[in-house]
Amino acid sequence: YLELAKKPASSLQKVDTPFLPDEHKEDVEDYKEGGELAADASKILMKILYGARLCRFDLLKATNYLSSRVTKWSKRCDRRLHRLICYINSSLDHQLVGWIGDKPDKLHIGCWSDADFAGCKVTMRSTSGSFLAIIGENTFFPITGNSRKQTAVSHSTPEAELVAADASLKNEALPALDLWDILFK
């Protein structure tokens, strides 16, 4: 990464996604050897995670996956981190936008959740994602988004989706409703 940081930004590839295009082609050798960036991976990822939590929810899944691999860093992780940096450089114009155009009595909270099925090829665990926003006829204001690896292996897509919905309701929606009641009576 330090070598990449010294290169001009124009030397980074333009990419459309933070994920490697050959994710389905796992090479066992990629996991046997440690990656070159293992010593600096935590510092790099925590800086990315800070921005991702505030205003770039699209970076959460890739960053969280790499963060879960810092103690088992491999050459594939090096490639994934490079791809993530290239994606950030390619999408500098992406931004989180919200607007409020309704009176408080016309606003409500919207919460969405989703999950993949066995998205992690190493552990076979699914990833839950959720998004919370204030919505109205002329309002859409993002509040929070998250992406977390599920704690157990799901047996089907519906099971992974139910786990994601439960986590979203428990950790995002219900606490937001309590706050909503306090703020708007």
Side-chain angles (χ1 to χ4, degrees):
Y1 177 77
L2 298 176
E3 290 299 316
L4 285 173
K6 293 176 187 173
K7 292 181 182 179
S10 61
S11 68
L12 295 173
Q13 309 165 8
K14 294 284 187 198
V15 296
D16 296 330
T17 174
F19 303 102
L20 291 173
D22 62 347
E23 283 296 299
H24 61 283
K25 298 177 186 174
E26 297 291 327
D27 187 357
V28 176
E29 296 302 314
D30 285 344
Y31 293 105
K32 287 186 178 177
E33 294 183 39
E36 294 178 39
L37 303 176
D40 297 314
S42 292
K43 291 185 276 188
I44 297 165
L45 290 169
M46 292 308 110
K47 288 177 177 134
I48 295 170
L49 186 60
Y50 181 77
R53 290 182 63 224
L54 290 177
C55 61
R56 288 292 303 269
F57 297 159
D58 59 323
L59 303 176
L60 286 171
K61 182 173 178 170
T63 306
N64 286 342
Y65 176 78
L66 285 170
S67 296
S68 74
R69 304 287 304 162
V70 291
T71 59
K72 305 171 241 33
W73 199 263
S74 64
K75 287 187 176 203
R76 181 169 290 273
C77 295
D78 282 347
R79 288 198 300 277
R80 285 180 172 160
L81 181 57
H82 180 258
R83 178 71 179 214
L84 179 58
I85 297 295
C86 288
Y87 174 72
I88 292 169
N89 186 58
S90 300
S91 61
L92 292 174
D93 60 335
H94 288 30
Q95 55 188 326
L96 192 60
V97 177
W99 61 91
I100 297 190
D102 296 309
K103 303 248 185 242
D105 61 329
K106 301 287 185 193
L107 301 177
H108 50 281
I109 293 175
C111 186
W112 296 266
S113 69
D114 196 13
D116 64 2
F117 176 60
C120 178
K121 302 301 180 212
V122 177
T123 64
M124 299 306 291
R125 287 194 274 170
S126 302
T127 301
S128 296
S130 69
F131 179 71
L132 184 76
I134 299 173
I135 55 178
E137 191 173 316
N138 300 303
T139 300
F140 187 84
F141 197 86
I143 300 297
T144 186
N146 74 52
S147 172
R148 292 191 179 113
K149 194 182 291 187
Q150 294 182 1
T151 57
V153 176
S154 295
H155 295 94
S156 64
T157 301
E159 182 180 357
E161 295 283 352
L162 283 171
V163 170
D166 175 66
S168 180
L169 282 171
K170 181 180 67 166
N171 299 327
E172 308 294 331
L174 293 176
L177 286 175
D178 288 341
L179 181 62
W180 194 260
D181 288 340
I182 292 169
L183 293 176
F184 296 106
K185 307 290 185 233

